[in-house]
Amino acid sequence: MADVYREPTPDQLQDLHDAVVDALTALADQISIPHGGRLDVDPDPASGMTHPMNTAEWQLAMLRALREVEPLTQVLGDRWARTAGIMGATYTQLGDAAGITRQAATKRWPGAVPPKDASPVDIETAGGTARVFYDQASGTWAWIGQGANGTSAESEDDAGHGTSEAAAAAAGAFLASNTTTDEKE
């Protein structure tokens, strides 16, 4: 497999670590309430005041700030893994970049890498038509169709199918249940 990026240098990693700590420190400074509830603590050592960092309150504020980092990295990781998959990356490449195995990448980001044959399939049965297609946004297979009776429907947003066969079966069931119009007497 060809290299697709360079590993960061120790200096680049240190710069990243410093930037993250600086951002967390800034947030902790903003949200901490120094010992005694004083919001006007002067962090200037020449003033004789102690920096709020030297209080339990500031340390707790830092822990609160840290609570935001992990979920953010998960959201960003999901976004960039799916984007890389859409752009042609493999699960092996996603795993390598994330420091996990291909199998773990497949489990963490199901549907991020489109199937090799994601061509839409048209179905004509029971007098109606449907199209089964791979939905990149959800990483699942979906369908849209119109029954012989003129009723139109599609996969529900939260009910994507893991395979094209499952989506085709759902589309077929819809077409079979919409073969005739109900006549009003």
Side-chain angles (χ1 to χ4, degrees), residues 73-107:
T73 61
Q74 292 296 330
V75 167
L76 294 175
D78 291 350
R79 178 186 307 161
W80 284 312
R82 291 195 181 285
T83 302
I86 290 168
M87 295 178 155
T90 66
Y91 277 115
T92 299
Q93 291 171 316
L94 294 177
D96 288 346
I100 58 178
T101 65
R102 177 189 58 79
Q103 292 86 351
T106 303
K107 186 175 179 180

Side-chain angles (χ1 to χ4, degrees), residues 138-169:
S138 67
T140 61
W141 288 88
W143 61 270
I144 186 167
Q146 183 171 8
N149 64 1
T151 303
S152 296
E154 61 186 76
S155 298
E156 295 180 27
D157 288 340
D158 60 349
H161 303 279
T163 65
S164 60
E165 292 82 8

Side-chain angles (χ1 to χ4, degrees), residues 121-133 142-155 167-180:
V121 176
D122 292 320
I123 299 170
E124 293 183 28
T125 189
T129 60
R131 174 165 271 212
V132 174
F133 59 94
W143 61 270
I144 186 167
Q146 183 171 8
N149 64 1
T151 303
S152 296
E154 61 186 76
S155 298
F174 163 76
L175 295 174
S177 66
N178 287 283
T179 57
T180 60

Side-chain angles (χ1 to χ4, degrees), residues 1-183:
M1 173 182 3
D3 288 337
V4 293
Y5 59 87
R6 291 184 295 272
E7 286 295 321
T9 66
D11 286 344
Q12 290 168 327
L13 289 174
Q14 187 61 52
D15 290 346
L16 173 64
H17 294 174
D18 292 346
V20 170
V21 169
D22 288 347
L24 289 167
T25 299
L27 180 58
D29 285 346
Q30 293 169 12
I31 67 173
S32 69
I33 300 174
H35 185 67
R38 290 185 41 219
L39 296 175
D40 61 345
V41 172
D42 183 358
D44 180 13
S47 71
M49 297 294 290
T50 306
H51 189 281
M53 182 184 292
N54 296 324
T55 65
E57 291 81 2
W58 189 91
Q59 300 298 321
L60 292 170
M62 179 60 106
L63 283 175
R64 175 58 187 90
L66 280 166
R67 194 169 84 198
E68 298 303 313
V69 174
E70 186 175 355
L72 176 61
T73 61
Q74 292 296 330
V75 167
L76 294 175
D78 291 350
R79 178 186 307 161
W80 284 312
R82 291 195 181 285
T83 302
I86 290 168
M87 295 178 155
T90 66
Y91 277 115
T92 299
Q93 291 171 316
L94 294 177
D96 288 346
I100 58 178
T101 65
R102 177 189 58 79
Q103 292 86 351
T106 303
K107 186 175 179 180
R108 181 184 268 176
W109 300 298
V113 175
K116 290 189 187 322
D117 182 14
S119 302
V121 176
D122 292 320
I123 299 170
E124 293 183 28
T125 189
T129 60
R131 174 165 271 212
V132 174
F133 59 94
Y134 186 75
D135 180 22
Q136 284 291 152
S138 67
T140 61
W141 288 88
W143 61 270
I144 186 167
Q146 183 171 8
N149 64 1
T151 303
S152 296
E154 61 186 76
S155 298
E156 295 180 27
D157 288 340
D158 60 349
H161 303 279
T163 65
S164 60
E165 292 82 8
F174 163 76
L175 295 174
S177 66
N178 287 283
T179 57
T180 60
T181 58
D182 292 331
E183 293 184 23

